[in-house]
Each structure stands twice: as C-alpha cells, then as structure tokens.
Amino acid sequence: MASEHETPTPSSSFDPSLPKRQSCSDCPFCSISSIYAPYDPQNPPDARSRIIDPNLPSPGPSTFIVLSTPQVMAFLDIMPLSVGHILVCPRNHRPKLTDASQVEAAELGRYLRVLSAAVVRATGIKDWNVVQNNGAAAAQVVPHLHFHIIPRPELRDKRSERFTATMFGRGQRDDLDEGEAVVLAEKIRQEVAKVVKEDQKQQNSSKL
Amino acid sequence: MASEHETPTPSSSFDPSLPKRQSCSDCPFCSISSIYAPYDPQNPPDARSRIIDPNLPSPGPSTFIVLSTPQVMAFLDIMPLSVGHILVCPRNHRPKLTDASQVEAAELGRYLRVLSAAVVRATGIKDWNVVQNNGAAAAQVVPHLHFHIIPRPELRDKRSERFTATMFGRGQRDDLDEGEAVVLAEKIRQEVAKVVKEDQKQQNSSKL
C-alpha cells in the first residue's frame, strides 16, 4: 500500500497545500490532476474561471471538473452512461483501491457521499450506482483508481437496458455533449458547495 | 443526511463503545448488526467463538462476519457472484449512501480499502469490483446501504460471463457453501487483522 506521511484524518476544512504528488506521465487522470489546481469546495470558482477551463487539457479531451481538493478530484465521464455520470479519483497515481493511502481511502469515502448528494440534486435523479473496477478482469480501463457515480433514471428505460451491457466494457456509450456539460458541471459544483456547507454547519452545531 | 455527534474522524484505534444506534426492525442488515457485537479488527475472535457464531441469526440465514466495528460491518454475501464476495455496510440503518453520516462515509471508504486487500490475499484473486446500488432503479435489493466487494477470477471464465447479467438483479446466483464459508471468513478476518496492523505500524513510523 502507499506510503503515507499523514495520520488518516480526512480534512474537514480546506487546506490548499498539495501533498507530495505521485504522478505517472502517460496516465490521463494524472494529466488532469497536474493541470487542475485544488480549490475550496465550499467556494468553487466561477464557471468562466481559468482554474476550471474545460479546454486546458488540449489536445486531450475537454475536462469538466466538479471537485478538486489536495487529495481527491472528480469530473464528468467523457462517455457517460447517463446524465450526471461522474468519476471520483485520488490526485495521486494509485492503480487499484488497495494502492490508496489510508487518508485517500477515507477522503474518497467522504466525497462519494458528498458527490452522490450533489449529483442527485443537480440531476433530479434519485437512484444511482457507485462502481469501482480493479484490474483488467474487473473491466478497469484507465489504470488510475476511480469510482463511477452513475445516476439511474428509470428501471425500464433504454439507458437502463443498456447499462449492464456497457458498464463493464462492452457495448456503446455516448460522447458527452460539451454545451450541456458546462451547465451540468457548474450545477454539480454549486451543489457540492451547499452539501459541504451543510455538513460543516452540522459539525459546528454538534460541537456546541 | 444523518445527524452526527462526532467529528468526521475515522478512528484509527479500536473503541468498542457503540454510538447510539439507528435500527429498523424488518431490515436483515439491522438484524445482523444487532446480533453481532463489535470486536477489535486487529484481534479477531477465534473461529469457534460465540461472538461470530454463523448460526446466531437463526432462523435467519447463517452469517459469516469478517469485520464488526462500532461503525462498520462486513460479512460474506449469502448468494455470492464469486468466491470472496462480501458486503460492507454501516451498523446504523441508512437506506442510501447519502443517508450516511460524515463519519460513516469516511469509515466505509477506509474499510473498503482494508477489506479489498484482505479479500485479495485470502482468495488469491487479484482483480475485483466494488459496487454500491442506491434505490430500486439502481437494483438495490436490501434497503440498507451496502457496498459489494466482488473478486473477478478471470476475464473469460463462466463466472465472468454471468457477472454483468446477475450483478444488477437478473439471472442466477449460487447459494453460499457453508463449510467453505467458515474457512473463508476466518481467512479474511485474519488478513484484515494483518492489514490493519501494517497500517498502524506505518502510521506510527510516520509520526516518529
């Protein structure tokens, strides 16, 4: 498992300092994590801010950031299975979940809940799957640990039928519509900010 | 989201005191969590100990505990998709991931990594999926938040072919062989203990 120089305590307040980063030059998610600096999830940058400009990875695919902390990043999947399909990963290059540090694992758990709530609010879709694949036999494509959060609109609509066939590497997935993506990512960032503020408020009131 | 009276700091040492529990009388996972007391993951009970007796839920199905902390429980799936298929859930009744407290979400993240490592070591299967379903449209069956950890033995074996058809509620799943389950659960508990001890050692050495 990863070497770790912090205690496994997920930070509840924002500290923009980056831990020493372990990167990998040909990994698309390491490329994203090197391009996009952390920002305070409670105060996300304006949609037109250069900090989250979707075109920065050029000539790589546009990237629509919905979370960027010193430990964890999240962005829209470029071939979504449904509207609101996002990926959540550690900033450091960790091939599998077992390669994550103790802090990263706890932070991923913390933000899976926050991002799930934000995606539900931003899309209005109340049901969703969380999926994380480790290794080729488990249909992992990008070898940098990532969780999928995938809204599931209805039990019997076309996207649902297609879901089981495509989740694990087979079948067709749509490309992301970039106009829609700009609006959706902004909505999710705003909802993340609200959820984190609510959490902070609850923590503060429980300390009184 | 759940009311929470602790700060969101996953405990790194074992504290057997149970937080005030939110339970639900007709939920099978609440039944398991009320029957099985927490134990220190670094010192799991002997396989014949009453604390983890698989038959305690009688007349309910036998339950093979692999982790039982004040916040999080894990046990073998009674209809596994592969050898080593386990479920990981909060002790409290939380229908969806968004219903978890901040502490529970971080603890789930922490133990998903620990349990994944333990399952890989206990089964020898290097690839696996982590899946968590929220709501009927996402194929959630038991309405108590749980993650699946599902080893994936090979890309093209029969279990793999069956996987995508059965993961989301369709198709056939085998019943757990109870003789094999006793041995497997013991192996996983032992591997969890090793992983947690290694983590503790690493934490201590990084503090020096």
Side-chain angles (χ1 to χ4, degrees):
Chain A
M1 296 197 185
S3 161
E4 186 55 55
H5 294 282
E6 304 105 319
T7 51
T9 306
S11 55
S12 57
S13 60
F14 181 75
D15 170 8
S17 62
L18 278 172
K20 198 179 164 199
R21 215 161 63 79
Q22 290 177 29
S23 187
C24 165
S25 64
D26 56 356
C27 167
F29 295 171
C30 283
S31 158
I32 290 172
S33 108
S34 69
I35 290 171
Y36 293 99
Y39 63 77
D40 181 355
Q42 293 195 49
N43 295 296
D46 182 88
R48 280 151 303 198
S49 165
R50 184 158 170 82
I51 297 174
I52 49 163
D53 181 348
N55 302 316
L56 288 183
S58 179
S62 303
T63 301
F64 300 89
I65 298 290
V66 296
L67 182 84
S68 180
T69 79
Q71 295 283 356
V72 175
M73 306 203 63
F75 39 87
L76 303 189
D77 191 296
I78 56 171
M79 296 184 72
L81 284 161
S82 59
V83 171
H85 181 171
I86 65 168
L87 304 180
V88 189
C89 68
R91 195 172 274 277
N92 283 325
H93 187 74
R94 311 293 191 202
K96 291 179 174 179
L97 182 54
T98 43
D99 298 311
S101 72
Q102 298 176 61
V103 172
E104 287 165 344
E107 283 282 295
L108 285 167
R110 177 186 173 218
Y111 279 112
L112 281 177
R113 167 184 161 281
V114 169
L115 288 161
S116 289
V119 167
V120 167
R121 295 183 192 184
T123 62
I125 301 167
K126 311 270 182 238
D127 292 356
W128 72 101
N129 298 105
V130 175
V131 178
Q132 192 266 327
N133 304 328
N134 299 279
Q140 183 176 17
V141 180
V142 177
H144 179 131
L145 151 61
H146 57 286
F147 284 85
H148 298 255
I149 293 178
I150 311 161
R152 297 294 297 272
E154 287 171 52
L155 203 51
R156 290 285 163 234
D157 84 350
K158 279 183 189 169
R159 284 182 188 276
S160 181
E161 290 297 312
R162 215 173 51 190
F163 178 83
T164 43
T166 51
M167 183 58 238
F168 297 95
R170 299 196 298 272
Q172 196 74 43
R173 288 165 69 169
D174 291 333
D175 283 333
L176 190 63
D177 179 294
E178 302 214 349
E180 290 171 13
V182 168
V183 177
L184 178 62
E186 167 69 4
K187 264 194 193 176
I188 297 175
R189 284 189 303 271
Q190 292 300 331
E191 295 298 341
V192 165
K194 286 182 202 165
V195 175
V196 175
K197 280 176 195 167
E198 289 163 15
D199 284 350
Q200 196 71 53
K201 208 171 158 185
Q202 194 176 55
Q203 255 183 268
N204 293 343
S205 70
S206 71
K207 279 179 193 162
L208 293 180
Chain B
M1 298 198 184
S3 161
E4 186 57 57
H5 294 281
E6 303 105 321
T7 52
T9 307
S11 55
S12 57
S13 60
F14 180 75
D15 171 7
S17 61
L18 278 171
K20 198 180 162 198
R21 215 161 63 79
Q22 290 177 30
S23 186
C24 165
S25 63
D26 56 354
C27 167
F29 295 172
C30 282
S31 159
I32 290 172
S33 109
S34 70
I35 289 170
Y36 293 99
Y39 64 77
D40 180 356
Q42 293 195 49
N43 295 296
D46 182 88
R48 280 151 304 196
S49 166
R50 184 160 170 79
I51 298 173
I52 50 163
D53 181 349
N55 302 315
L56 288 183
S58 178
S62 303
T63 302
F64 301 89
I65 299 289
V66 296
L67 182 83
S68 180
T69 80
Q71 295 284 356
V72 175
M73 307 202 63
F75 39 87
L76 303 190
D77 191 296
I78 56 171
M79 296 183 74
L81 285 161
S82 59
V83 172
H85 180 171
I86 65 168
L87 305 180
V88 189
C89 68
R91 194 172 274 277
N92 283 323
H93 187 72
R94 311 294 192 199
K96 292 179 173 180
L97 182 54
T98 43
D99 299 310
S101 72
Q102 298 175 61
V103 172
E104 287 165 345
E107 284 282 295
L108 285 166
R110 175 187 175 216
Y111 278 113
L112 281 177
R113 166 185 163 280
V114 169
L115 288 161
S116 289
V119 167
V120 167
R121 295 183 193 184
T123 62
I125 303 167
K126 310 268 183 242
D127 292 356
W128 72 101
N129 298 106
V130 175
V131 178
Q132 193 266 327
N133 304 328
N134 298 279
Q140 183 176 16
V141 180
V142 177
H144 179 133
L145 150 61
H146 57 285
F147 285 85
H148 299 255
I149 294 179
I150 311 161
R152 298 293 298 271
E154 286 170 51
L155 203 50
R156 290 283 163 236
D157 84 351
K158 279 184 188 168
R159 284 182 188 275
S160 181
E161 290 297 311
R162 217 175 48 191
F163 178 82
T164 43
T166 53
M167 182 59 239
F168 297 96
R170 298 196 298 273
Q172 195 75 44
R173 289 165 69 168
D174 290 332
D175 282 333
L176 190 63
D177 179 295
E178 302 215 349
E180 290 171 14
V182 169
V183 178
L184 178 62
E186 167 69 4
K187 263 195 193 174
I188 297 174
R189 285 189 302 270
Q190 293 299 332
E191 296 299 342
V192 165
K194 287 183 202 164
V195 175
V196 175
K197 280 175 194 167
E198 288 163 18
D199 284 350
Q200 196 71 52
K201 208 171 158 185
Q202 193 176 56
Q203 253 184 269
N204 293 342
S205 71
S206 71
K207 280 179 191 162
L208 292 179

